Amino acid sequence: MGTSRIRYIVVSLRSFSRLDHSEFKAVDIHEGIDNTLMILEHRLQAKPERPTIEVVRQYGELPLVECYAGQLNQVFMNLLSNAIDALEESNEGRSFQDIADQPNRISIKTTKTKKQWVQIAITDNGTGIPEKARSRLFDPFFTTKPVGKGTGLGLSISYQVVKEKHGGKLWCDSTRGKGTKFVIEIPIERTQLINT
């Protein structure tokens, strides 16, 4: 079983990094998300201070999407890591039982939009982002994390990858005390990128 698990992790890492797919290519977005979750599994598992972080996948029917898969997987990694960080921060001062009664949850929803784009929404039920910080979220080196916890580059790089490399959009909706949702929208085909 251990060998099987190691093999699965290595395959996931290889797929995540897409070493063999550095060019613009049609890929399965769900596979990229699943591989990212596999890499982050150790952060989602139960710990002495909290139960497992629940991950709810609501995958729509998506065609293959033309993209830079490795770069898009890095965006998923940044957004999911931030969601986990937000949940861990929201757990401070809460008991194990309190967290079990109102579990930490990350929801991932994918849909195909009418204009032939895909939308990926990653939502957490953490404490949300303060309003004054929201306007600066995608600025380089801006972070809401304590010193030594974050570089302030993850969201900035994610924004560049989505907007500049894929001609897409990345935005955030957050309600203080209820959670945060990041939404990625990118065109399904490169021809749409050229025409928009």
Side-chain angles (χ1 to χ4, degrees):
M1 276 177 59
T3 307
S4 250
R5 179 150 166 69
I6 290 168
R7 183 184 179 284
Y8 183 64
I9 291 169
V10 169
V11 169
S12 292
L13 281 167
R14 185 168 187 268
S15 295
F16 171 83
S17 64
R18 291 288 182 173
L19 296 173
D20 52 344
H21 300 294
S22 58
E23 76 277 3
F24 217 75
K25 190 171 183 163
V27 298
D28 180 348
I29 292 291
H30 297 148
E31 183 185 325
I33 296 168
D34 289 342
N35 287 329
T36 306
L37 288 168
M38 176 64 201
I39 293 165
L40 289 170
E41 188 176 329
H42 70 285
R43 293 200 59 204
L44 298 166
Q45 292 172 344
K47 295 184 175 173
E49 67 276 7
R50 66 151 172 84
T52 301
I53 295 173
E54 295 177 7
V55 176
V56 179
R57 295 173 176 93
Q58 297 173 285
Y59 289 171
E61 285 201 31
L62 299 184
L64 296 179
V65 177
E66 292 180 358
C67 63
Y68 294 104
Q71 293 180 20
L72 204 56
N73 287 346
Q74 190 61 55
V75 172
F76 300 149
M77 176 69 79
N78 290 338
L79 296 181
L80 288 164
S81 292
N82 282 351
I84 295 167
D85 290 345
L87 291 170
E88 288 178 346
E89 185 182 313
S90 75
N91 289 338
E92 288 176 20
R94 295 174 68 201
S95 69
F96 188 97
Q97 190 56 51
D98 182 31
I99 300 167
D101 292 342
Q102 295 181 325
N104 294 154
R105 184 174 296 119
I106 297 173
S107 299
I108 305 165
K109 183 177 182 181
T110 63
T111 50
K112 180 179 162 190
T113 68
K114 289 179 183 171
K115 59 179 185 174
Q116 298 300 302
W117 284 40
V118 294
Q119 185 179 90
I120 303 112
I122 298 173
T123 309
D124 68 67
N125 64 342
T127 54
I129 299 168
E131 195 171 337
K132 63 181 182 180
R134 282 184 230 149
S135 63
R136 300 192 55 207
L137 278 181
F138 301 111
D139 292 355
F141 305 110
F142 177 76
T143 183
T144 58
K145 296 175 186 172
V147 175
K149 270 270 191 170
T151 61
L153 290 173
L155 288 177
S156 173
I157 291 168
S158 296
Y159 187 81
Q160 286 180 334
V161 167
V162 172
K163 185 154 178 55
E164 295 171 19
K165 297 280 187 172
H166 294 89
K169 300 172 190 162
L170 173 62
W171 72 91
C172 171
D173 290 325
S174 187
T175 305
R176 200 74 177 126
K178 294 200 174 177
T180 302
K181 174 166 77 170
F182 280 92
V183 182
I184 303 164
E185 274 194 358
I186 57 170
I188 293 167
E189 295 177 353
R190 189 172 199 152
T191 52
Q192 292 167 275
L193 174 58
I194 294 162
N195 295 331
T196 52

